[in-house]
């Protein structure tokens, strides 16, 4: 499947010291959009406001009658489904916060040249589908299975390699007792929109976006580790191009603020009036529930405890937090930091790697507080 069109570098390019966002990054930024941060107010992101990231083209799927999902490789009974066949299985709906592994990338120094996310590559949806472990139980996974490889219908070239979009999960993540992985056909009670994977996609709760293969057309069980481009070349944490690197897997904790007050059109800087404001936001982690959010209103010198809404039944979705702030006239920098039940937290200095992956540097929100009579 992989075809090399030229030499492949293990890493993307880094921007030069004073290099601005280029046309190539702008072209990606106009196709792939983020969550407008004011939409953090919704528990479930309204249609069209969820972030979108697509490496190649969105496949044209006028109707799903001609779609076929195949299951093969190291299984006793290879299978093939039309999307409608999946409705014979019990339907499961899960509320899941999805975040791109490259979220925050454009804030890094030096900047990895790719989709230039600030911090808005996130969204929460209710995904409906069939638990993957039920499909694979029917297919009968053979002993010695190592990985499960998922192939999308989209096709392109990346750093010289022609490929279908493909990612794998270790077999225990795909079919383990605890596995919540879904083959989803619905989003927020409706069929998947084209940009989110119509007619079928994988949903891997707690994992960064790259694992959630859209336009899913094949599932293959393998007896050796999958080494496709998106597994072995991309989506690895490397500081130097020659390193093998660690794979990108689960979502690191992050807190974001609902932007307070109102924005300046060009700079997007926030403007508030003096007095007590309730700052609010969302926090999530794909490793363990968020147990603590701290807020700083002086750029990280002093911290206070935010009130964190208990995780409740939606284990894989973001939670809400609140913090009272007595705003005084002048310039301020607001910051929030999430910590999860396993003690993972957010760094105050950038955690840099060449892809800008899984970087959960705290958000900094500059705010101008007006004089009382302004
Ligand atoms: N087939 C396919 N699946 C894909 C991708 C893709 O380019 N092709 N992009 C991945 C990445 S990097 C992310 S972050 C998520 C984004 O999902 P969304 O667009 O539904 O928010 O889809 C993942 N699944
Ligand atoms: Mo992504």
């Amino acid at each position: 499947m992989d075809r090399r069109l030229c030499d492949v570098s293990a890493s993307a390019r880094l921007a030069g010291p004073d290099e601005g966002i280029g046309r190539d990054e702008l072209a990606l930024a106009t196709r792939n959009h983020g969550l407008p941060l004011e939409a953090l107010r919704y528990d479930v992101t309204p249609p069209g406001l969820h972030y979108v990231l697509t490496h190649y083209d969105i496949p044209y799927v006028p109707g799903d009658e001609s779609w076929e999902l195949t299951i093969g490789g190291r299984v006793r009974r290879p299978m093939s489904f039309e999307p409608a066949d999946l409705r014979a299985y019990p339907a499961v709906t899960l509320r899941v916060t999805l975040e791109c592994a490259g979220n925050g990338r454009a804030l890094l120094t030096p900047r990895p040249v790719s989709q230039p996310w600030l911090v808005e590559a996130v969204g929460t949806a209710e995904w409906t589908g069939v638990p993957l472990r039920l499909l694979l139980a029917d297919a009968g996974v053979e002993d010695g299975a190592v990985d499960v490889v998922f192939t999308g219908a989209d096709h392109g070239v990346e750093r010289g390699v022609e490929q279908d979009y493909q990612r794998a999960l270790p077999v225990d993540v795909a079919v383990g007792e605890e596995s919540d992985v879904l083959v989803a056909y619905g989003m927020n009670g409706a069929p998947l929109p084209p940009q989110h994977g119509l007619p079928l996609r994988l949903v891997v709760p707690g994992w960064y976006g790259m694992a959630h293969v859209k336009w899913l057309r094949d599932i293959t069980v393998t007896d050796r580790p999958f080494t496709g481009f998106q597994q072995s070349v991309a989506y690895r944490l490397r500081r130097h191009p020659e390193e093998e690197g660690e794979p990108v897997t689960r979502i690191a904790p992050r807190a974001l603020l609902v932007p307070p007050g109102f924005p300046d059109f060009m700079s997007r800087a926030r403007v508030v009036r003096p007095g007590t404001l309730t700052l609010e936001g969302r926090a999530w982690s794909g490793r363990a529930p968020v147990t603590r959010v701290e807020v700083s209103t002086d750029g990280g010198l002093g911290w206070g405890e935010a009130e964190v809404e208990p995780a409740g039944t939606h284990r894989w979705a973001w939670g809400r937090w609140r913090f009272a702030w007595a705003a005084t006239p002048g310039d301020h920098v607001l910051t929030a930091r999430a910590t999860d039940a396993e003690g993972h937290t957010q760094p105050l200095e950038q955690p840099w790697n060449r892809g800008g992956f899984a970087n959960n540097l705290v958000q900094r929100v500059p705010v101008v507080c007006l004089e009382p009579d302004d």
Side-chain angles (χ1 to χ4, degrees):
M1 192 66 62
D2 288 5
R3 194 151 76 87
R4 296 202 167 198
L5 302 180
C6 62
D7 279 349
V8 184
S9 158
S11 307
R13 193 171 74 78
L14 301 178
D18 295 313
E19 185 183 333
I21 300 280
R23 268 192 88 108
D24 47 358
E25 291 163 291
L26 174 63
L28 287 174
T30 54
R31 290 182 52 77
N32 299 308
H33 67 78
L35 174 86
L37 293 182
E38 59 274 29
L40 287 167
R41 290 190 175 90
Y42 299 93
D43 291 330
V44 174
T45 307
L49 297 184
H50 193 286
Y51 91 95
V52 172
L53 190 294
T54 299
H55 285 236
Y56 314 128
D57 288 349
I58 298 170
Y60 176 56
V61 185
D64 60 18
E65 311 80 40
S66 59
W67 196 270
E68 192 186 22
L69 169 66
T70 48
I71 302 185
R74 305 294 302 212
V75 294
R76 285 187 284 281
R77 291 172 294 278
M79 301 174 84
S80 149
F81 297 90
E82 283 178 23
D85 302 334
L86 294 178
R87 294 177 192 262
Y89 286 86
V92 170
T93 298
L94 290 176
R95 188 180 295 182
V96 175
T97 294
L98 191 62
E99 183 180 15
C100 179
N103 203 13
R105 173 189 287 135
L107 297 170
L108 297 179
T109 311
R111 181 180 82 254
V113 176
S114 184
Q115 164 64 31
W117 295 121
L118 299 172
V119 291
E120 64 293 87
V122 65
T124 298
E126 299 216 309
W127 303 100
T128 300
V130 184
L132 175 67
R133 63 187 153 69
L134 298 186
L135 296 178
L136 286 175
D138 276 4
V141 174
E142 290 182 340
D143 290 347
V146 172
D147 273 354
V148 184
V149 182
F150 304 91
T151 304
D154 49 333
H155 189 87
V157 184
E158 206 160 329
R159 278 180 264 158
V161 181
E162 186 180 333
Q163 59 191 288
D164 291 340
Y165 187 89
Q166 284 188 308
R167 283 278 310 181
L169 290 173
V171 81
D172 57 325
V173 174
V175 300
E177 273 299 299
E178 308 276 278
S179 171
D180 271 340
V181 180
L182 290 183
V183 173
Y185 46 76
M187 182 186 191
N188 302 338
L192 298 178
Q195 69 275 27
H196 292 296
L198 180 74
L200 300 174
R201 81 173 304 169
L202 201 68
V203 172
V204 190
W207 284 54
Y208 278 114
M210 74 283 148
H212 303 231
V213 177
K214 301 192 273 191
W215 312 294
L216 183 65
R217 63 166 185 76
D218 182 71
I219 299 174
T220 295
V221 179
T222 62
D223 57 8
R224 61 193 62 186
F226 174 65
T227 58
F229 182 93
Q230 305 297 346
Q231 207 87 18
S232 306
V233 182
Y235 296 110
R236 299 188 78 92
L237 306 175
R238 296 185 181 94
R239 292 185 66 87
H240 302 286
E242 63 282 1
E243 282 172 32
E244 189 187 335
E246 287 296 309
V248 177
T249 59
R250 290 183 171 275
I251 300 175
R254 190 193 294 275
L256 291 180
L257 282 109
V258 170
F262 49 92
D264 172 73
F265 169 64
M266 268 316 291
S267 68
R268 301 293 311 168
R270 308 304 301 186
V271 184
V272 301
R273 300 194 195 284
T276 300
L277 313 181
T278 301
L279 300 176
E280 57 165 338
R282 297 282 176 178
W284 61 92
S285 165
R287 298 181 179 273
V290 169
T291 45
R292 184 178 190 198
V293 175
E294 298 153 280
V295 175
S296 171
T297 57
D298 57 10
L301 296 173
W303 295 86
E305 294 290 327
E307 184 197 322
V308 180
E309 198 174 77
T313 50
H314 300 292
R315 160 71 193 86
W316 300 114
W318 58 27
R320 199 188 290 271
W321 57 264
R322 289 191 178 80
F323 183 86
W325 177 40
T328 53
D331 293 335
H332 304 275
V333 176
L334 308 180
T335 299
R337 173 169 67 187
T339 303
D340 71 22
E342 290 177 359
H344 305 286
T345 189
Q346 295 187 250
L348 305 181
E349 301 293 334
Q350 63 167 16
W352 191 87
N353 62 78
R354 293 189 63 99
F357 298 126
N359 106 77
N360 61 341
L361 174 67
V362 291
Q363 182 194 24
R364 287 180 213 280
V365 181
V367 177
V368 181
C369 180
L370 301 174
E371 295 293 333
D373 299 323
D374 281 359

